[in-house]
Amino acid sequence: QSLNTIKKRGKLIIGTEPTFPPFEFVDEKNQIVGFDIDIANELAKRLGVKLEIVSLPFDSLIPALQQGKIDLIIAGMTITEERAKVVDFSKPYFEANQALVVRGDSKFQPKKIEDLVGKKVAVQLGTTGDLVVSEVKGIEVVRFQKFTDAFLELQNGRVDAVVLDEAPAKAYVKKFPKFILSAVIDTGETYGIAVKKGNRELLNFVNQTLDILKSTGVYNRLLQKWFE
Ligand code: GLN
């Protein structure tokens, strides 16, 4: 997918997983919106093409990129060494940590990952949250493709906690006051936009656009729009 192929095709095809507010989620009008989607729109606009959003399970995004089904991944995806072996990441565009969410009416208030030992914990399959809890012995990890399903299980009492990135954790807690954020785990993650390994041209374009969005104040405006 050279820039020319994308321009000729007339659309930029991005892959994302839309249960991750405020980065990407389905709104009342049934549209996928969010901070990442606005950045993707800026990328498309600057290429003079339309934006097409492909919604996929999080763990299918990298395979879809490798198979050329999408041009880039923008999904609050943490830049990790493992992933960087198989895709190329843009400069970091957001900082993140993991968070523990529990029911507000339960006495269980975990403050660290080890407090989850002996408990049932919901995560999204293939995320850094999945990795963090899977590393600790004795946690019963239940993996979901959608965070909305993970929170349904928490609500129904079938799991004791959900582990996910801090900003979406806050968004879910705000939307469903029966949940509380019981701790933030400092994992020091950063998000990157992923392109197919070796696609230097698209990567440079993404990096240049991120620079422009920052220097022109668009990036800050988007932060205010989605994180107030
Ligand atoms: N930042 C986390 C990861 O990359 C979660 C991303 C997500 O669920 N969309 O694994």
Side-chain angles (χ1 to χ4, degrees), residues 22 31 35 68 70 74 77 82 85 99-100 106 133 137-138 154 158 189 192 224 226:
Q31 308 271 8
F35 181 79
I70 53 179
I74 179 154
M77 183 175 272
E82 278 302 298
K85 285 179 192 157
L100 313 184
S106 78
V133 294
K137 254 200 175 160
L154 182 62
R158 281 193 286 264
E189 299 171 51
Q224 277 170 17
W226 295 105

Side-chain angles (χ1 to χ4, degrees), residues 20 24 58 75-78 83 124 126-128 147 165 189 191:
F20 200 69
E24 41 269 333
F58 188 77
M77 183 175 272
T78 301
R83 292 172 182 162
Q124 186 178 55
T127 57
T128 47
F147 280 119
D165 298 38
E189 299 171 51
Y191 297 163

Side-chain angles (χ1 to χ4, degrees), residues 77-96:
M77 183 175 272
T78 301
I79 301 171
T80 67
E81 243 175 75
E82 278 302 298
R83 292 172 182 162
K85 285 179 192 157
V86 291
V87 300
D88 284 335
F89 281 107
S90 70
K91 316 178 165 185
Y93 71 94
F94 202 87
E95 289 176 8

Side-chain angles (χ1 to χ4, degrees), residues 48-209:
V49 298
K50 290 204 178 116
L51 181 69
E52 180 175 318
I53 304 169
V54 179
S55 172
L56 290 167
F58 188 77
D59 73 324
S60 302
L61 290 168
I62 288 181
L65 185 65
Q66 290 174 311
Q67 291 158 20
K69 291 179 181 160
I70 53 179
D71 299 315
L72 50 86
I73 300 170
I74 179 154
M77 183 175 272
T78 301
I79 301 171
T80 67
E81 243 175 75
E82 278 302 298
R83 292 172 182 162
K85 285 179 192 157
V86 291
V87 300
D88 284 335
F89 281 107
S90 70
K91 316 178 165 185
Y93 71 94
F94 202 87
E95 289 176 8
N97 290 301
Q98 294 299 305
L100 313 184
V101 178
V102 296
R103 286 181 303 279
D105 62 5
S106 78
K107 286 211 189 83
F108 179 55
Q109 298 255 328
K111 292 295 165 205
K112 48 189 196 315
I113 295 291
E114 289 69 27
D115 294 343
L116 301 172
V117 169
K119 300 287 182 181
K120 265 190 158 179
V121 178
V123 297
Q124 186 178 55
L125 178 65
T127 57
T128 47
D130 185 356
L131 285 179
V132 164
V133 294
S134 299
E135 273 170 6
V136 178
K137 254 200 175 160
I139 301 176
E140 189 180 339
V141 185
V142 192
R143 299 177 178 87
F144 294 91
Q145 287 190 335
K146 295 178 181 172
F147 280 119
T148 43
D149 290 336
F151 280 106
L152 210 58
E153 292 292 284
L154 182 62
Q155 182 185 328
N156 296 338
R158 281 193 286 264
V159 298
D160 304 296
V162 178
V163 175
L164 77 166
D165 298 38
E166 183 177 0
K170 285 185 173 152
Y172 277 105
V173 166
K174 199 170 170 190
K175 189 162 181 220
F176 303 105
K178 56 171 82 80
F179 300 139
I180 58 163
L181 198 155
S182 81
V184 172
I185 310 298
D186 186 4
T187 49
E189 299 171 51
T190 56
Y191 297 163
I193 297 171
V195 303
K196 195 171 184 176
K197 193 118 205 112
N199 194 346
R200 203 54 90 72
E201 197 191 9
L202 184 55
L203 190 65
N204 286 341
F205 167 74
V206 169
N207 280 331
Q208 280 163 13
T209 305

Side-chain angles (χ1 to χ4, degrees), residues 6-37:
I6 295 171
K7 283 180 189 161
K8 261 196 219 144
R9 188 209 284 144
K11 58 186 182 187
L12 175 70
I13 307 173
I14 64 141
T16 198
E17 193 293 305
T19 66
F20 200 69
F23 293 93
E24 41 269 333
F25 61 102
V26 180
D27 72 3
E28 318 78 47
K29 294 179 206 139
N30 227 20
Q31 308 271 8
I32 300 177
V33 297
F35 181 79
D36 281 346
I37 307 304

